[in-house]
Amino acid sequence: EQLIHKTASGNIVRSKSEAIIDMFLHTNGIPFRYECPLRLSQTTIHPEFTIRHPRTGEQFYWEHFGMIDDPLYSKQFYSRIKLYISNGIYPSINLITTYETKTHPLTTEMVERIIEQYFL
């Protein structure tokens, strides 16, 4: 399923952006799982990252939307966010979302800031 980038944590991920997120979570000692099944309503999805806060134990999900400038992909994005919200998982509270387009890639600085804000 296009898992092509091996990370330091031992995961094999789909994109360089996911590899960056994986690397920062791993190097900061933040417990996480990659594409762990999550049952929401009658649907099972696989968030890119399921994260346990290292101090509080609270569960977070991190979805990276890497082709947000693609209209079909964007439509799927909105459906996914709606599914999360309807199941009590909210952006900026317990759902972390990152985005990129062809001209605005995800950067290591962005990931670093998010990890510091949520987990350190």
Side-chain angles (χ1 to χ4, degrees), residues 50-120:
T50 301
I51 306 163
R52 189 167 24 100
H53 194 285
R55 289 187 308 275
T56 68
E58 184 180 359
Q59 190 100 337
F60 288 81
Y61 302 95
W62 189 328
E63 288 277 11
H64 177 67
F65 298 100
M67 300 185 301
I68 203 70
D69 51 347
D70 176 283
L72 178 59
Y73 185 90
S74 290
K75 186 176 180 180
Q76 293 169 344
F77 152 77
Y78 290 117
S79 296
R80 187 106 164 190
I81 293 296
K82 185 177 175 183
L83 180 62
Y84 275 113
I85 291 170
S86 67
N87 284 274
I89 300 170
Y90 302 105
S92 299
I93 297 174
N94 51 353
L95 175 61
I96 301 166
T97 56
T98 47
Y99 312 89
E100 68 182 298
T101 66
K102 290 176 186 152
T103 57
H104 293 90
L106 184 71
T107 66
T108 56
E109 292 81 11
M110 291 171 170
V111 174
E112 207 167 20
R113 276 194 310 269
I114 290 168
I115 289 176
E116 286 175 10
Q117 176 185 352
Y118 281 89
F119 303 111
L120 302 179

Side-chain angles (χ1 to χ4, degrees), residues 3-44:
L3 298 172
I4 56 173
H5 301 281
K6 185 162 175 127
T7 66
S9 70
N11 289 320
I12 302 173
V13 299
R14 297 179 197 291
S15 70
K16 291 177 186 176
S17 296
E18 288 179 359
I20 290 169
I21 296 167
D22 184 290
M23 176 189 70
F24 276 96
L25 290 169
H26 177 71
T27 58
N28 282 287
I30 300 165
F32 72 96
R33 292 176 290 172
Y34 180 72
E35 292 197 345
C36 182
L38 174 63
R39 185 89 170 149
L40 298 176
S41 300
Q42 301 299 318
T43 305
T44 299

